[in-house]
Amino acid sequence: MKNFTTDIIKIFNTVPGSYLVVDTSDPGYPILAATDEYLGMNSLKREDILGKNAREVFTNGDVMHRELVTRSFASLDRVVQTKKGNEDEIFIPGKQDGRSTTSGRYMKSANTPVFDDEGKVVYIIHQLEEITGKVAQEIKINRQEDLTTQLKESRAAALNMMRDAVEARELAERSNRILKDEIRERQRIEEELRKQEYNTSQIIKYAPAGIY
């Protein structure tokens, strides 16, 4: 009969995804298993890390970015304390080595507790996933949405300006018509006054003597 435990480990090693299993009986979190993808992502060898404390493996050398390590272990501690899984996202700046520069990466970590029969967290399955492409796509979509919003706002502002200009022109035309009407009315009144003055002068001129 095959060794079931050995087969399970082999199966786990080849599971798609970047996973690490640690033991919570020691605060250093001894490493019990790691998938091939996890090892490849972090340039590690299985024989170099199995059985060793994760804190020692990942805080020595240049295996992982310092902030990612700090936050990852803080997340593991929270799983033990709260008995609940958690997730975290972090941006790792690029590195400059001589003339070459690597781009920054966005990473997502997730921790899932494994309980014993008494409800104690005995293992934690730690998942590490690079989400740079996903975040870049979200940033692109957000920028497009921002540009669309700005375009809509610009169009609305332009329409408001056009509407204000039309209203101003209509007001000016209406005021001009009123002014012209007032001028014509004034001219009419002045013309009537001139006629009355003329008629009055003619009456006085040709009236018989003694009337005025």
Side-chain angles (χ1 to χ4, degrees), residues 126-144:
H126 175 71
Q127 179 185 13
L128 188 62
E129 176 186 6
E130 181 172 353
I131 56 173
T132 304
K134 178 182 177 182
V135 173
Q137 183 65 21
E138 291 177 350
I139 293 175
K140 181 179 179 180
I141 292 174
N142 290 336
R143 287 178 178 173
Q144 290 176 342

Side-chain angles (χ1 to χ4, degrees), residues 90-104:
I90 183 175
F91 174 72
I92 302 177
K95 297 179 180 179
Q96 186 170 2
D97 183 14
R99 297 181 179 180
S100 62
T101 301
T102 58
S103 301

Side-chain angles (χ1 to χ4, degrees), residues 13 32 51 64 67-68 76 88 95 101 117 139 150 162 175 184 192:
N13 290 345
L32 302 180
M64 286 186 178
E67 186 176 355
L68 177 59
L76 292 175
D88 191 17
K95 297 179 180 179
T101 301
D117 295 337
I139 293 175
Q150 293 175 8
M162 291 175 62
S175 299
R184 283 195 294 267
E192 289 292 331

Side-chain angles (χ1 to χ4, degrees), residues 22-110:
V22 297
D23 186 351
T24 63
S25 62
D26 186 301
Y29 298 112
I31 299 172
L32 302 180
T35 61
D36 295 337
E37 188 171 326
Y38 187 94
L39 297 173
M41 174 182 290
N42 297 289
S43 301
L44 296 170
K45 294 181 179 180
R46 186 170 284 109
E47 59 270 21
D48 293 336
I49 66 172
L50 290 185
K52 295 183 180 179
N53 285 349
R55 290 189 188 275
E56 296 178 3
V57 172
F58 295 113
T59 54
N60 292 331
D62 192 28
V63 176
M64 286 186 178
H65 188 267
R66 184 183 301 275
E67 186 176 355
L68 177 59
V69 171
T70 300
R71 288 172 60 167
S72 294
F73 283 111
S75 297
L76 292 175
D77 292 338
R78 284 198 303 274
V79 173
V80 176
Q81 295 166 3
T82 65
K83 298 184 178 182
K84 295 180 180 179
N86 56 50
E87 294 183 353
D88 191 17
E89 292 183 6
I90 183 175
F91 174 72
I92 302 177
K95 297 179 180 179
Q96 186 170 2
D97 183 14
R99 297 181 179 180
S100 62
T101 301
T102 58
S103 301
R105 298 185 299 165
Y106 287 91
M107 306 298 293
K108 176 182 178 181
S109 66

